[in-house]
Amino acid sequence: MRRKSKCVLGIEGTAWNLSAAIVDQSRVIASAESSYHPVEGGLHPRAAAQHHATHMEQVIHDVLAKGKKNNAKISAVAFSIGPGFGPCLRTVATAARALSLSMNVPLIGVNHCIAHIEIGRWLCNVADPVILYVSGANSQVLSYRNGKYRIFGETLDIGIGNALDKFGRYAGLQHPGGPKIEEIARKAKCYMPLPYVVKGMDFSFSGLTTAAKDALAHAPLEDVCHSFQETAFAMLVEVTERALAHTGKKDILLAGGVGANSRLMEMLNTMCQDRSAKFFAPDKAYMKDNGAMIAYTGLLMLESGAVLSVEDSAVRPNYRPDEVEVTWR
Amino acid sequence: MEMKRVMLTSGAEATIELRDGIILKSRAPKRYRLKEIDERLRRERTKIEAKLIAEARKSGVPTPIIYDVMNCEIQMEYIDGVQLKHVLDANLSERIGELVGLLHTAGIIHGDLTTSNMILAGERIYLIDFGLAYFDQSTEARGVDVHVLFQTFESTHGGHETLIKAFTRGYRKTFKDADDVLQRVKEIESRGRYRTERL
Ligand SMILES: Nc1ncnc2c1ncn2[C@@H]1O[C@H](COP(=O)(O)OP(=O)(O)O)[C@@H](O)[C@H]1O
Ligand SMILES: [Mg+2]
């Protein structure tokens, strides 16, 4: 008889989405979530943390109940230990520690960015891709070499998600701005040049964001949204292609919330076609922040012995992906 | 007479062909980006590359000789050697430091200092791929230039601390403001480290 795979409960809450899931080696067994929607302005870390604290009990209760229906026996509790907002991270960590103690199972601290990568590799079944990771605070091009995910290029100032949201807020769009900008951009009639800044495999979005805001004074919103997206995404696709050429790898994996943008996906796909590379992206639900990615990476870590004692489980708001010792590859 | 044509590589942004002993670098259109962006980038970068490759050589840095420049194509000398990414060691890294020091002294920023863009031919190291190069004497521009290289050391090569140290030695030899720039590199790195806090 085949040994039944272990189940891990994962909790994600680095920013606005509180999400928990239970996975085993073969599938996502259960999930539950609750999103914080800011009333106005951007995301306020303390308000988001407050939201997570308020909804934690319900979310955990839901996911455990669904897990129970499926006979899932939890072998470990994983949580996103960073990077992210300090107050949000601490709320999640507190809950995870308590659960690990009460269930008497190991505690696992998962790097949020690595989790985005691992769930993509799992669901898309891709072994060794170059990864474009695009989220609110971060935008990075990474690939695995010798025990670590290495950063080949990244933003020199703000992440693409924040750039979109900042511009969106200025243009009077509701938070999060990204999806609305995508929609409005479809109605554009013309493109206006905006600053295109690539330095090796690094890039910058702050000059672009400022210029796009200024452009609103004399150009229609549709055209500015379109020009913003086309410029920013062309930069991202270009550096991804540079990393492909530099590493000699043949697969691209898209990860992170901004990955849900269909124009970005289309551009990456075209680039891959033109240089006979393969493009992979998981379902949108697994590109945005989700509990399953923490649970699955937690499972990989559990099986390679990377568990934490409570004393070592302090959160790491600036935890970088290239600091993680990848013990499971 | 039949011409000898060999497709060498499809680089980061261009295709490189060896034709009768001459390198033909063409920036072919990229379908993924808007035509307006694509044409501007390809034309600008071709022009800049041809100009700055020549300027770099004047500053004492080995670069291929340019034979001809067309709209989005450059013909240049073929450098028969191996990309530094395959052979890099501390000794070579020190010499990269010297070359980058010469470039920076001349006010040139390379813009894409990776070990794919350096060729070791015999005893010489050539710098190539100047499409992202520009003139700038600021500490910030120089700092980002060096940061990009250090990032490649870390992502692509083992023992990056040793490589960085060796680079620093060479860089100081040929460039008098080396220490200011190296200080700025540290600052640029720490901006990355603390990014999430500044959301
Ligand atoms: N003059 C040259 N002599 C020999 N090899 C070259 C020359 N120029 C380019 N190459 C080879 O082609 C690759 C890509 O060229 P490069 O100028 O870097 O274009 P890209 O902008 O596409 O990266 C280089 O990494 C190198 O291996
Ligand atoms: Mg190159």
Side-chain angles (χ1 to χ4, degrees):
Chain A
M1 200 181 78
R2 224 175 115 252
R3 190 172 59 98
K4 218 177 143 208
S5 159
K6 288 178 173 165
C7 297
V8 173
L9 165 66
I11 315 171
E12 156 61 33
T14 53
W16 52 272
N17 201 26
L18 174 66
S19 168
I22 300 170
V23 310
D24 70 9
Q25 199 54 257
S26 60
R27 69 194 176 109
V28 180
I29 297 169
S31 61
E33 65 177 25
S34 168
S35 281
Y36 161 68
H37 297 288
V39 193
E40 66 180 51
L43 182 82
H44 297 286
R46 263 167 233 297
Q50 189 55 52
H51 162 271
H52 295 355
T54 312
H55 294 81
M56 186 67 74
E57 207 181 309
Q58 187 66 48
V59 166
I60 298 295
H61 174 271
D62 287 357
V63 77
L64 288 178
K66 287 181 200 166
K68 204 165 178 186
K69 268 192 209 145
N70 288 282
N71 300 316
K73 187 180 168 298
I74 308 292
S75 300
V77 175
F79 70 103
S80 47
I81 195 167
F85 296 119
C88 298
L89 294 172
R90 283 189 287 276
T91 304
V92 170
T94 305
R97 285 180 203 119
L99 282 164
S100 139
L101 285 173
S102 70
M103 295 195 244
N104 194 26
V105 294
L107 181 65
I108 299 167
V110 175
N111 178 291
H112 174 88
C113 167
I114 298 290
H116 273 292
I117 296 173
E118 292 301 348
I119 190 125
R121 285 181 62 230
W122 183 45
L123 297 175
C124 298
N125 197 17
V126 52
D128 190 20
V130 166
I131 302 121
L132 174 63
Y133 170 55
V134 278
S135 70
N138 268 302
S139 302
Q140 292 167 327
V141 179
L142 311 101
S143 200
Y144 179 82
R145 184 185 62 78
N146 192 21
K148 280 186 176 169
Y149 284 98
R150 315 279 169 171
I151 299 172
F152 285 80
E154 65 181 317
T155 177
L156 290 162
D157 37 58
I158 55 176
I160 178 65
N162 283 0
L164 287 163
D165 289 344
K166 262 189 194 174
F167 168 73
R169 207 176 310 142
Y170 185 85
L173 307 175
Q174 224 187 341
H175 185 90
K180 287 180 197 73
I181 293 169
E182 178 177 8
E183 205 183 297
I184 296 169
R186 292 210 182 92
K187 296 183 214 118
K189 294 211 175 53
C190 69
Y191 169 82
M192 72 195 61
L194 291 172
Y196 184 104
V197 184
V198 164
K199 296 173 190 269
M201 286 180 249
D202 287 343
F203 41 94
S204 144
F205 291 125
S206 73
L208 169 63
T209 309
T210 308
K213 284 184 192 168
D214 293 347
L216 284 174
H218 55 78
L221 178 63
E222 305 87 83
D223 291 351
V224 185
C225 287
H226 168 67
S227 308
F228 188 108
Q229 281 202 136
E230 291 298 323
T231 310
F233 295 167
M235 285 158 54
L236 289 171
V237 178
E238 171 169 17
V239 294
T240 309
E241 185 170 20
R242 283 175 183 273
L244 270 186
H246 183 72
T247 58
K249 295 191 184 185
K250 281 284 167 201
D251 297 319
I252 292 286
L253 174 67
L254 179 59
V258 182
N261 186 297
S262 7
R263 178 58 183 144
L264 177 59
M265 274 203 249
E266 177 186 46
M267 288 167 79
L268 283 165
N269 203 14
T270 309
M271 182 271 280
C272 286
Q273 277 174 13
D274 288 355
R275 60 181 300 135
S276 353
K278 277 205 193 113
F279 173 62
F280 297 90
D283 191 89
K284 285 179 187 179
Y286 296 104
M287 278 199 281
K288 69 172 199 179
D289 294 353
N290 64 90
M293 68 185 198
I294 303 299
Y296 176 69
T297 310
L299 179 60
L300 295 174
M301 292 173 74
L302 175 69
E303 293 190 328
S304 68
V307 300
L308 284 179
S309 61
V310 169
E311 306 83 75
D312 294 332
S313 67
V315 301
R316 306 180 63 173
N318 302 307
Y319 198 12
R320 282 171 64 84
D322 56 355
E323 292 176 67
V324 178
E325 302 284 348
V326 178
T327 48
W328 56 91
R329 276 189 69 161
Chain B
M1 192 189 78
E2 198 191 313
M3 283 213 301
K4 211 175 138 217
R5 289 175 68 144
V6 189
M7 175 75 160
L8 275 190
T9 103
S10 158
E13 60 164 333
T15 52
I16 308 292
E17 253 180 87
L18 185 57
R19 234 187 246 180
D20 270 347
I22 290 173
I23 286 284
L24 188 72
K25 173 168 180 172
S26 9
R27 291 185 160 85
K30 299 280 184 197
R31 281 196 308 136
Y32 70 78
R33 61 192 174 203
L34 227 54
K35 208 164 155 225
E36 290 96 321
I37 298 179
D38 187 57
E39 283 177 355
R40 174 169 55 119
L41 291 179
R42 290 190 296 124
R43 225 177 309 114
E44 275 177 17
R45 288 176 180 178
T46 303
K47 229 169 76 189
I48 284 169
E49 172 155 34
K51 182 167 162 217
L52 277 275
I53 272 192
E55 288 295 329
R57 183 153 0 85
K58 284 189 212 152
S59 76
V61 174
T63 59
I65 294 166
I66 304 290
Y67 300 133
D68 203 358
V69 188
M70 284 142 288
N71 201 5
C72 294
E73 271 182 23
I74 301 179
Q75 288 184 13
M76 64 179 122
E77 180 188 2
Y78 171 51
I79 309 298
D80 191 1
V82 42
Q83 283 177 320
L84 261 263
K85 72 174 167 193
H86 301 301
V87 292
L88 185 65
D89 63 14
N91 177 38
L92 290 169
S93 181
E94 179 167 345
R95 290 177 47 208
I96 296 171
E98 292 171 19
L99 296 180
V100 176
L102 290 174
L103 274 188
H104 287 182
T105 303
I108 300 170
I109 302 298
H110 182 279
D112 191 10
L113 287 172
T114 69
T115 46
S116 288
N117 291 334
M118 301 167 186
I119 302 177
L120 179 66
E123 286 298 293
R124 289 177 124 183
I125 298 174
Y126 285 79
L127 295 194
I128 60 165
D129 203 358
F130 279 70
L132 297 180
Y134 55 102
F135 285 108
D136 195 324
Q137 314 230 17
S138 71
T139 306
E140 178 70 15
R142 288 163 170 164
V144 171
D145 218 20
V146 173
H147 163 73
V148 165
L149 180 66
F150 286 1
Q151 199 165 39
T152 310
F153 285 172
E154 189 165 351
S155 63
T156 316
H157 302 279
H160 66 275
E161 281 106 351
T162 318
L163 295 174
I164 288 175
K165 240 190 221 133
F167 173 93
T168 309
R169 266 200 306 280
Y171 191 53
R172 285 195 176 111
K173 269 192 228 164
T174 55
F175 180 43
K176 70 173 175 34
D177 296 328
D179 286 323
D180 292 347
V181 175
L182 293 165
Q183 188 52 44
R184 182 64 64 98
V185 173
K186 290 211 177 95
E187 260 174 63
I188 292 165
E189 273 166 15
S190 66
R191 280 179 221 160
R193 310 250 167 242
Y194 297 106
R195 184 160 303 129
T196 47
E197 282 287 284
R198 299 186 300 109
L199 260 172

